[in-house]
Amino acid sequence: MPVKLVKVTPKVERYPEYEELDWVVGHGLGVDHTADMTTFHQTLAQAGAIKGIESYYYMRYDDSPERNYIPMMFYTVFGKPKIPVLMHEEVEPVGELFNVIAVFSSSLLIQKTSQRALLFDGAKKDAVLLVNTSITPDDVVRLVKKYSLAQDWFGKVVTLSAAKIDSAIAWPLLGALARAWDRVDLDSLLAAADVLGKEKKKDSIRKGYEAASVKEVHVLAEETEMFKKIKKEVELPEFPGEFWTPEVFYAYQKAAAEAQTYPSRYAAMPRWEVLAPGLIEFGPQPGKRNLGFTTPWRWQRPIIDMNKCTDCKLCHYYCPDGAIDFAPIKVDYEYCKGCGICETVCPVNAIKMVSELEYLEGLRDEEFLRRFEQREYGF
Ligand code: SF4
Ligand code: SF4
């Protein structure tokens, strides 16, 4: 029996009350950066409290990743909201919310966020972009114009190769942020470290403050490659009839997967109100992959050396995303998540994982490579 549709007009919720707050959004690689990001955001919130500002921090609820190295987000909020902030709920990156975007791995500059959003979706025009990297601020600006910025940005970029100072990278990064954003200052961060029993880390905060590179940025949306790309956004599917058919569902799935920004993805997704009780998602079409599960982010990619490959098919069977074709053996990068399992199971070492940053942009970032070379796979 076909499921009847109820038509609603999708609308992105915008809360102007949120825009009056000061927000820091942190982006890291799941599991790998969880401890660093907790330290960073907890200390920021503590520093805010020391300055008499109601402040709190939390991890985005959906970002409790079961996989290593997938994008994840934390928030720190400064100020008392007039409406309740949805703790542990998804904060929609629409409007002008974020004062600071803190990026713990440069690979995230060239990916979508875990919300399939651009890194700058929801950013204020004068946002500070803090990046843990050895690449230059100019290279950072070049990357974001290409991959993750499609709006005016008259802010600052701050870079620091934090692991050169402390393997617990949160501490020097906090110092670096104090160089560029006046909401926190060095004294309140040092006092916060005291309150949290981390007196020994005060030196790392000071060193981060000294070593950071800060650059003023003045970019118009029209100057960015991403702005030109989103001008060609996919058109939303029309409701073709009154019944919720697989074709309607696949049309929505495709539009949501192809959307470049958060507002356009949100608009493309069917709202809960249109889903009749009891409806379950339709699976992939026969012989095809699931249209909604394309990969908006990947920090590394597998490359198969076909001269070594013996066609044993193990990688095909072990890939958790069904991203390796059976015959011939071939990676579908639209779906590969870069987990590295295929590299681990290949009996003749025919698969090598390579950094996306290096593959796409020829950039060797010491901070990134340090993590890359120490990576471990585990589920
Ligand atoms: S890295 Fe390999 S195993 Fe992992 S999703 Fe990609 S192709 Fe599949
Ligand atoms: S596991 Fe290795 S040898 Fe086997 S099919 Fe995959 S790439 Fe080829």
Side-chain angles (χ1 to χ4, degrees), residues 198-331:
K198 298 289 182 185
E199 300 84 356
K200 290 187 180 149
K201 294 296 180 184
K202 286 160 70 175
D203 201 36
S204 297
I205 297 175
R206 286 193 199 94
K207 284 182 177 162
Y209 182 89
E210 294 300 329
S213 302
V214 184
K215 183 183 167 71
E216 303 259 351
V217 185
H218 196 285
V219 178
L220 294 170
E222 293 77 9
E223 294 172 31
T224 70
E225 286 169 62
M226 184 47 82
F227 181 80
K228 290 166 199 150
K229 196 168 176 182
I230 66 173
K231 293 270 279 185
K232 292 189 245 152
E233 273 285 38
V234 285
E235 286 192 9
L236 291 187
E238 286 291 320
F239 276 103
E242 60 176 333
F243 294 109
W244 185 241
T245 61
E247 287 67 36
V248 177
F249 179 79
Y250 294 139
Y252 268 111
Q253 245 193 350
K254 188 165 184 296
E258 289 178 356
Q260 293 292 333
T261 65
Y262 187 84
S264 56
R265 181 179 81 86
Y266 194 85
M269 296 215 312
R271 304 300 303 269
W272 289 115
E273 298 93 310
V274 307
L275 302 178
L279 181 73
I280 56 167
E281 287 207 353
F282 297 101
Q285 299 168 77
K288 294 190 176 173
R289 297 194 164 101
N290 194 321
L291 287 170
F293 290 176
T294 54
T295 308
W297 39 257
R298 183 174 52 238
W299 75 306
Q300 56 175 359
R301 68 166 56 204
I303 306 281
I304 302 180
D305 181 345
M306 294 313 289
N307 292 323
K308 286 190 186 170
C309 173
T310 59
D311 208 27
C312 72
K313 312 292 190 196
L314 273 182
C315 55
H316 165 82
Y317 288 117
Y318 273 89
C319 173
D321 285 278
I324 301 184
D325 293 343
F326 182 83
I329 286 291
K330 183 166 169 279
V331 178

Side-chain angles (χ1 to χ4, degrees), residues 16 40 50 88 96 101 105 152 193 207 225 246 275 277 310 317-318 353 361 368:
F40 182 87
I50 285 168
H88 288 221
E96 296 195 1
I101 306 168
S105 166
D152 294 346
K207 284 182 177 162
E225 286 169 62
L275 302 178
T310 59
Y317 288 117
Y318 273 89
M353 302 305 292
E361 294 296 329
F368 176 81

